[in-house]
Amino acid sequence: PLALVLTVLLTVPVSAQTSVPTDKKKAAAQPAKTAPAKAAPAKAAPVIPQADPFTTAMNRIKATDAATRRMGVEDLARLRDPRGVPALQAAAADEDAYVRSAAVNSLGLLRVSASTGTVVAALANDPSGQVRQSAAVALAYLNDPGAAPALVAALRDSEPGVRLAAARSLGALRWKEGGPALLAALKA
């Protein structure tokens, strides 16, 4: 008899085995709704101290990767913080030309007259034309008439970009004594 009951139960559809009204069948098919669980009180997220942008830039300048050093130099220029001038002056002698170029450009943007010597040295002595051109542009920002003789010498540079930047910077300085040198450069 037990085997017969099991056989009937297994072969007869479930809907025929019960006499539950249709509405209750639907309700039984849906999972029971439970009360929403109470959320635990939210804990405050830990406060992570933000690094000082100046400190971050100074740390980047000390990196072994040239791209990171350049980012540090550019960060210091954006911050316009004169505390970064010594680091920028040191970066003007970096082994990487892109870092040196960014450093002399940044020194010009900061407009600290104490940087004129570093920028003039880059204009006169750097092996990279890009750095010399950046130095010539930076000297216009520094607006130091003492840099005019170095700009006149740069009018004879082997790189056309350096010569153009030097001429433009001489014009920005409004150095009257540079007129004959500019005319000579135009004729050359």
Side-chain angles (χ1 to χ4, degrees):
L2 185 56
L4 180 63
V5 172
L6 286 175
T7 305
V8 170
L9 287 175
L10 292 175
T11 56
V12 176
V14 175
S15 60
Q17 294 176 12
T18 60
S19 60
V20 179
T22 309
D23 291 341
K24 290 185 179 178
K25 285 183 190 176
K26 288 180 184 175
Q30 295 176 353
K33 292 184 179 179
T34 58
K38 291 185 179 180
K43 292 182 181 179
V47 177
I48 300 171
Q50 295 294 320
D52 171 39
F54 180 79
T55 304
T56 301
M58 292 298 287
N59 288 336
R60 284 182 174 166
I61 286 180
K62 298 172 190 170
T64 57
D65 176 52
T68 305
R69 290 194 308 273
R70 183 179 172 127
M71 284 179 13
V73 165
E74 291 171 346
D75 288 347
L76 285 177
R78 275 190 293 278
L79 291 171
R80 304 271 199 250
D81 191 331
R83 294 178 297 164
V85 170
L88 291 172
Q89 288 174 328
D94 192 273
E95 64 188 38
D96 185 80
Y98 291 115
V99 175
R100 293 192 312 271
S101 177
V104 296
N105 184 49
S106 297
L107 287 168
L109 291 173
L110 288 174
R111 293 180 169 92
V112 175
S113 61
S115 302
T116 302
T118 303
V119 179
V120 165
L123 175 62
N125 303 318
D126 200 279
S128 168
Q130 177 186 1
V131 175
R132 294 192 311 273
Q133 181 175 346
S134 293
V137 171
L139 289 171
Y141 292 132
L142 289 169
N143 199 27
D144 184 346
L151 289 167
V152 167
L155 292 173
R156 295 181 301 279
D157 194 275
S158 61
E159 295 288 330
V162 177
R163 294 191 305 265
L164 177 63
R168 187 175 177 278
S169 292
L170 277 170
L173 291 177
R174 301 192 192 294
W175 193 57
K176 294 177 185 176
E177 292 84 359
L182 283 169
L183 288 174
L186 286 172
K187 292 177 183 177

